[in-house]
């Protein structure tokens, strides 16, 4: 399936109805016919065309939408992403940051310890001035944009930053240390 043929594939109302039936759970030709109200011959023809174009696949569980084909198509339509430079000057660090930080947002926190430390240090350095004191609500306001659309909330992110000593907390006041002692491996 290519971007050019998707529009043509779904320009036909019969194919759209058959596709919708499969997307809503029809796993057999009989179910497709029943749910669409189409004559058997029309439903079979539309189904065959959808299978040829990889929009629908027949597997062990019956008919199903080929979501992998649509994901591939979406990636192709988006084109290559320009490499984002996070300004570290270190190619390894940049590779990690490109994976987990996109457009100023934390996509997800790495599971690997060294990568997690690197990403959290990056966030701390880009968000808080060393030595300056921040009230908790200000820390939360500064961390929220990092978490938009991601898997982590700002409270958890704040806790990680404190646990790894990228932020120090005392009496509800937060401060990034003037010198980062967490850089070593």
């Amino acid at each position: 399936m290519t971007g050019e043929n998707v529009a043509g594939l779904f320009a036909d109302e019969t194919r759209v109805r058959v596709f919708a039936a499969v997307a809503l759970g029809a796993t057999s030709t009989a179910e497709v016919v029943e749910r669409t109200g189409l004559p058997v011959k029309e439903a079979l023809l539309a189904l065959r065309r959808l299978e040829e174009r990889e929009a629908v696949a027949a597997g062990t569980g019956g008919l199903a939408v080929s979501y992998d084909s649509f994901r591939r198509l979406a990636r192709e339509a988006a084109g290559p992403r320009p490499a984002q430079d996070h300004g570290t000057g270190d190619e390894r660090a940049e590779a990690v940051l490109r994976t987990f930080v996109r457009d100023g947002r934390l996509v997800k926190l790495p599971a690997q310890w060294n990568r997690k430390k690197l990403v959290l240090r990056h966030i701390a350095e880009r968000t808080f001035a060393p030595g300056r004191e921040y009230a908790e609500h200000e820390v939360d306001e500064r961390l929220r944009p990092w978490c938009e659309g991601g898997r982590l909330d700002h409270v958890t992110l704040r806790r990680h930053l404190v646990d790894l000593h990228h932020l120090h907390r005392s009496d509800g006041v937060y401060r990034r240390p003037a010198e980062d002692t967490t850089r070593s491996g």
Side-chain angles (χ1 to χ4, degrees):
M1 183 167 45
T2 66
E4 295 153 1
N5 69 19
V6 170
L9 183 64
F10 289 109
D12 178 71
E13 181 185 342
T14 302
R15 288 192 294 259
V16 171
R17 289 171 63 184
V18 169
F19 180 83
V22 173
L24 293 172
T27 58
S28 69
T29 304
E31 288 178 3
V32 168
V33 169
E34 179 185 326
R35 292 182 185 192
T36 61
L38 293 169
V40 175
K41 186 176 179 178
E42 284 184 42
L44 285 172
L45 186 62
L47 193 52
R48 185 171 57 222
R49 180 64 66 141
L50 289 166
E51 287 177 316
E52 287 171 357
R53 300 282 179 89
E54 299 177 357
V56 170
T60 55
L63 297 170
V65 172
S66 296
Y67 290 108
D68 289 338
S69 294
F70 287 101
R71 280 190 280 277
R72 185 181 68 245
L73 183 62
R75 280 192 303 272
E76 290 170 3
R81 291 181 59 103
Q84 188 174 4
D85 184 7
H86 293 91
T88 65
D90 178 349
E91 191 156 330
R92 283 185 173 177
E94 287 294 325
V96 171
L97 291 171
R98 274 194 301 273
T99 302
F100 297 100
V101 177
R102 293 195 193 121
D103 302 320
R105 291 187 171 79
L106 179 63
V107 176
K108 69 178 185 175
L109 202 56
Q112 187 181 17
W113 179 248
N114 286 333
R115 290 178 177 188
K116 184 182 292 187
K117 290 190 315 186
L118 176 107
V119 169
L120 289 170
R121 183 178 66 239
H122 173 78
I123 291 171
E125 289 173 350
R126 297 300 183 276
T127 310
F128 304 103
R132 180 172 175 242
E133 292 185 345
Y134 299 88
E136 186 169 299
H137 72 87
E138 190 176 1
V139 171
D140 289 346
E141 285 174 19
R142 289 172 167 264
L143 293 178
R144 272 190 190 98
W146 286 101
C147 300
E148 287 177 14
R151 298 179 183 175
L152 203 65
D153 63 79
H154 67 280
V155 175
T156 306
L157 180 56
R158 183 184 71 217
R159 189 175 310 121
H160 283 302
L161 290 169
V162 170
D163 290 348
L164 289 177
H165 308 289
H166 293 300
L167 285 179
H168 292 175
R169 175 179 52 211
S170 178
D171 298 323
V173 176
Y174 293 78
R175 182 180 48 80
R176 184 175 142 223
E179 202 169 299
D180 194 347
T181 58
T182 61
R183 282 195 180 271
S184 61

